[in-house]
Structures are given as C-alpha cells and as structure tokens.
C-alpha cells in the first residue's frame, strides 16, 4: 500500500510541471482494495483494470520501474511507452491489462475466466471497475453470463462515490451497488474498502468459492479517492477546485487505509515504529529509483511511431 501511495504522490509534481503528459488518475486513498484482493491471488490468476489502475498493476506484482517509464511514455515502459497511464499490462504475472473505456475490461475478465473454466486450470480472474461502470450495459451482460456458466470471476466494484464529478446519488436510485448482482443469483457483499484486512478476507473467500466452481462473486468496496478525478486536483474549471464537500473529504482522510493498518500493526505489537520507518525509507528509495529510471530512458523512436498501432 505504501509503495502505491508513495508512487502516486511522486507523480504529482511531474504532472503539475507538465513533465508527465499522459492523463493520470491517481489511486491515493484506495490502496487497500487492490492490495487486499491481489494478496489473495497467485501469479497465475488474472487481473484486469480500468483508467485508475496504477494500484492494480503494482499490487499484482508489476514492476515499479516499468510502470513509471510507461507513465513517462518511455521505450522501457510496460507498453513500450505507447500506452501511458491507462494501458498498464504485465502478462507474465497475470496483469492482463487496463483500459480507459469505462467497463471496457469487464467482458475481457469474464473471457479469461471462461478460458480458465474450459481449460480447468483453476485460475481466477478479477475485474476491477468503478461505480461509474455500473451505468454500462456490458456489466449486466457479464453478470448474467458469468452466473449462468458459474465462471471463476470476481467482480470488484471500487465504489468511491463519484464518477468523474458526478455524485453517486445523482447517477442511481440504488446506491448499495452490491444489490445489483443479487438478481443474477451472484453472491455479493459490501465491504469497507479502506480496511485492508477486511478486503483480504473477502478476497480469500471469493477466490476459494471460484476455485471450487462456486463463482462468480461480486464485491462492492466502499472507498474514496484522496486526489482529483484526473491529476492531483479536480481541475474542471481549469483551476484547482474539488467539488466534493470539505467535511466529506475530511471524514475520509481520517479513514486513510495506510494509517489504519499501521495503527493496527503498532497497537497489536506486530511491528515497531522503527521497522515502519525502515519500510518507508526503503519504499521511498524504490520510488526514487523508478522515477530516475523513467527519466533516463529514451522516448520511442520517431520512425516507430506507427509500429504496434492497429487500425
Ligand atoms: C465508455 C466511457 N464513457 C465515458 C468515459 C469518460 N470517463 C472516464 S472516467 C469516467 C468516470 C468513471 O467513474 P468510475 O467508474 O466511478 O471510476 P473512478 O474514476 O471513480 O475511479 C468517465 C465517465 C469513458 N472513459 N468511457
Ligand atoms: Mg467512482
């Protein structure tokens, strides 16, 4: 979680300075969802992300250097600098891709789960998507088909209460998103997405159900982004303004998933302040190394501009 947070925060200045050109949807505040779920998976399982997937990529075990290089659009990036922040991929470790199209990878996750069921290889596929994706028809088609075929797929809705700048109450009548899976006969739970242990437990249960042929599972994780929709702030008027109520932001800052887990570890005597400091220092070093690597890497060659582009 710390690796994700420090990485995200390290992008803030380069974004504001214009050094990073790709639109960046930062994941600060939502780390417990990606980490809790991915900790329940193995390298052989599959993950599909969205436009806000830095956390999914890192939690699945993606290389920090390759992610930073991709965000800086360099040849050494995980998509060779062609994709940017929203096209993160690492097939070797099961991160099969992220995409900017809202709900665009849900059917791909279902397809991966179908392949796994046909091959009987025991792999589970996870589809991470936001509350905004519940407005897309493809989600409902996938819920039905996955339920019908009992596919090993976990639908993880990261409900951060907003789709761009639209509060959830203005988008839907039923704001408990977990309810939408029940009519399809899918086991569904709403969990505290800022409590990494709760997410992990729910992830383990869901993985077990899928491996036993009792999938799919739907998890709604309640969470909140600490940064703007895209970039560090909500700059919809061209200025840095966050349209979310300050009291709401303050409330969620108190539920910071990293601080909560640190406090849990400290108060239970599972870790000392000194070891926490050591971890922070190590991760800061890793992040600094990744950014230096990205900055030193070459841009894709101009003569390769149309290579890997398919029309
Ligand atoms: C099909 C489609 N429609 C609209 C957009 C523009 N868009 C990008 S992100 C976004 C909102 C997504 O909200 P949510 O799914 O809740 O994810 P969050 O940004 O809150 O993590 C929209 C509407 C898009 N990328 N794709
Ligand atoms: Mg949202």
């Amino acid at each position: 979680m710390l690796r994700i947070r420090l990485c995200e925060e390290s992008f803030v200045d380069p974004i504001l300075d214009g050094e990073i050109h790709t639109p960046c949807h930062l994941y600060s505040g939502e780390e417990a969802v990606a980490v809790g779920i991915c900790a329940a998976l193995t390298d052989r399982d599959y993950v599909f992300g969205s436009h806000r997937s830095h956390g999914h990529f890192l939690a699945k075990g993606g290389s920090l250097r390759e992610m930073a290089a991709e965000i800086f659009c360099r040849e050494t990036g995980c998509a060779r600098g062609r994709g940017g922040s929203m096209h993160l991929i690492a097939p070797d470790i099961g991160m099969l891709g992220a995409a900017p199209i809202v709900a665009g990878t849900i059917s791909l996750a279902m397809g991966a789960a179908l392949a796994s069921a046909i091959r009987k290889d025991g792999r589970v596929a996870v589809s991470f998507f936001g509350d905004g994706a519940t407005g897309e028809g493809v989600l409902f088609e996938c819920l039905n088909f996955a339920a019908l075929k009992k596919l090993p797929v976990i639908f993880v809705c990261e409900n951060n209460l907003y789709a761009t700048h639209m509060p959830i109450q203005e988008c839907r009548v039923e704001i408990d998103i977990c309810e939408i899976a029940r009519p399809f006969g899918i086991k569904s739970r709403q969990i505290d997405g800022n409590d990494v242990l709760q997410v992990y437990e729910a992830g383990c249960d869901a993985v077990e159900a899928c491996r036993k042929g009792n999938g799919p599972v739907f998890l709604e994780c309640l969470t909140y982004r600490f940064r703007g929709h895209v970039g560090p702030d909500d700059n919809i008027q061209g200025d840095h303004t966050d349209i979310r109520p300050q009291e709401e932001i303050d409330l969620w800052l108190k539920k910071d998933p990293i601080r909560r887990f640190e406090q849990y570890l400290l108060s239970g005597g599972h870790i000392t302040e000194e070891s926490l400091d050591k971890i922070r220092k190590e991760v800061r070093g890793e992040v600094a190394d990744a950014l230096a690597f990205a900055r030193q890497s070459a841009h894709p060659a101009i003569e390769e501009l149309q290579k890997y582009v398919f029309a």
Side-chain angles (χ1 to χ4, degrees):
M1 287 198 286
L2 206 50
R3 183 177 292 124
I4 297 169
R5 174 72 56 87
L6 295 181
C7 195
E8 294 298 70
E9 294 304 309
S10 77
F11 295 140
V12 168
D13 285 341
I15 293 171
L16 294 176
D17 296 345
E19 192 186 3
I20 289 177
H21 299 292
T22 176
C24 268
H25 302 77
L26 299 175
Y27 197 62
S28 294
E30 306 189 13
E31 296 90 349
V33 181
V35 169
I37 297 292
C38 290
L41 303 174
T42 71
D43 278 1
R44 301 183 70 244
D45 296 315
Y46 304 122
V47 159
F48 289 82
S50 63
H51 55 288
R52 193 182 302 285
S53 271
H54 301 172
H56 308 138
F57 180 89
L58 291 177
K60 192 67 173 65
S63 148
L64 197 55
R65 278 184 162 200
E66 284 187 25
M67 188 180 93
E70 189 56 42
I71 289 169
F72 279 74
C73 293
R74 306 302 165 113
E75 184 67 41
T76 49
C78 61
R80 304 193 66 178
R82 272 75 169 175
S85 157
M86 295 185 281
H87 295 95
L88 301 177
I89 187 158
D92 292 352
I93 48 143
M95 171 68 195
L96 293 196
I101 308 298
V102 169
T105 59
I106 299 175
S107 57
L108 305 184
M110 196 187 66
L114 178 61
S116 171
I118 292 169
R119 294 188 192 120
K120 296 190 176 35
D121 62 13
R123 295 180 189 210
V124 171
V126 174
S127 170
F128 286 105
F129 53 89
D131 46 289
T134 63
E136 297 289 343
V138 66
L139 170 63
F140 299 90
E141 296 174 45
C142 291
L143 290 176
N144 185 56
F145 190 77
L148 188 68
K149 300 289 177 191
K150 291 191 170 8
L151 297 183
V153 54
I154 307 172
F155 298 97
V156 180
C157 180
E158 305 183 300
N159 182 3
N160 61 9
L161 313 180
Y162 291 83
T164 54
H165 307 94
M166 185 84 96
I168 188 160
Q169 299 88 333
E170 291 181 31
C171 304
R172 21 184 336 110
V173 175
E174 175 55 79
I175 59 165
D176 287 325
I177 287 175
C178 60
E179 297 299 332
I180 67 172
R182 300 200 208 280
F184 295 94
I186 296 179
K187 285 174 288 299
S188 181
R189 280 176 68 184
Q190 184 180 62
I191 51 180
D192 179 347
N194 280 23
D195 178 346
V196 71
L197 292 180
Q198 202 184 119
V199 179
Y200 175 64
E201 271 171 34
C204 289
D205 288 350
V207 168
E208 194 188 340
C210 285
R211 296 223 204 277
K212 284 185 175 156
N214 297 326
V217 178
F218 189 101
L219 299 175
E220 176 195 1
C221 302
L222 288 169
T223 187
Y224 201 75
R225 54 174 162 71
F226 287 173
R227 291 291 186 171
H229 166 68
V230 55
D233 290 300
D234 267 350
N235 48 357
I236 42 172
Q237 276 95 32
D239 215 338
H240 294 155
T241 58
D242 197 322
I243 52 128
R244 300 174 302 175
Q246 192 56 48
E247 313 82 70
E248 184 182 279
I249 298 174
D250 293 343
L251 192 82
W252 281 92
L253 283 172
K254 287 198 190 107
K255 299 198 237 180
D256 183 334
I258 298 183
R259 200 161 344 116
R260 275 172 75 182
F261 190 52
E262 283 176 351
Q263 270 156 13
Y264 164 84
L265 292 173
L266 287 168
S267 63
H270 305 295
I271 203 165
T272 59
E273 247 330 324
E274 295 73 58
S275 18
L276 263 183
D277 270 345
K278 195 165 161 259
I279 295 172
R280 290 189 196 108
K281 205 180 278 168
E282 271 170 24
V283 177
R284 249 179 246 126
E286 278 179 45
V287 170
D289 165 79
L291 261 71
F293 172 79
R295 287 186 168 113
Q296 284 156 18
S297 298
H299 285 104
I302 197 100
E303 57 277 13
E304 287 200 353
L305 200 59
Q306 291 186 27
K307 214 171 165 188
Y308 317 115
V309 177
F310 304 94

